[in-house]
Amino acid sequence: MVSVLEARFPHVIKRLGLCWGDPDAFEEMFSDLMLDKRGDRTGWPMDAWAELNFLQSIHHLAYGVAGRRSLNHNNPFEQNWTR
């Protein structure tokens, strides 16, 4: 069985593979995939969106989150939070 991303977005699979295992690189690449910086994107189909989120969850569980996400600088519920 071929995944949605493999079938319709093979370039995304290639990009994911290049940064897989590196939380900081993965976060930067994933952000680039999710945010429209060019202004001409229509968004991901729901099945591709679900698969991307699933892969992000697997990556976070296996390798952790990027350093900038794990610091919780702007989380008022974090014990060490200061404004």
Side-chain angles (χ1 to χ4, degrees):
M1 181 172 148
V2 176
S3 77
V4 172
L5 295 175
E6 288 174 311
R8 297 190 340 228
F9 304 99
H11 62 286
V12 171
I13 293 294
K14 184 175 183 175
R15 289 182 70 188
L16 288 168
L18 291 172
C19 63
W20 196 262
D22 181 338
D24 293 319
F26 185 87
E27 178 70 24
E28 185 174 328
M29 184 279 311
F30 200 83
S31 176
D32 187 52
L33 288 173
M34 293 293 119
L35 302 174
D36 180 8
K37 295 177 183 169
R38 300 187 309 194
D40 63 350
R41 306 254 171 105
T42 59
W44 293 97
M46 189 57 72
D47 53 357
W49 178 264
E51 194 169 307
L52 284 166
N53 282 300
F54 176 70
L55 291 172
Q56 182 186 40
S57 296
I58 290 172
H59 192 273
H60 286 171
L61 287 171
Y63 302 105
V65 296
R68 68 182 179 153
R69 288 187 92 194
S70 63
L71 296 177
N72 290 320
H73 289 297
N74 296 316
N75 183 353
F77 300 104
E78 173 68 27
Q79 289 181 340
N80 298 323
W81 182 74
T82 58
R83 187 167 269 243

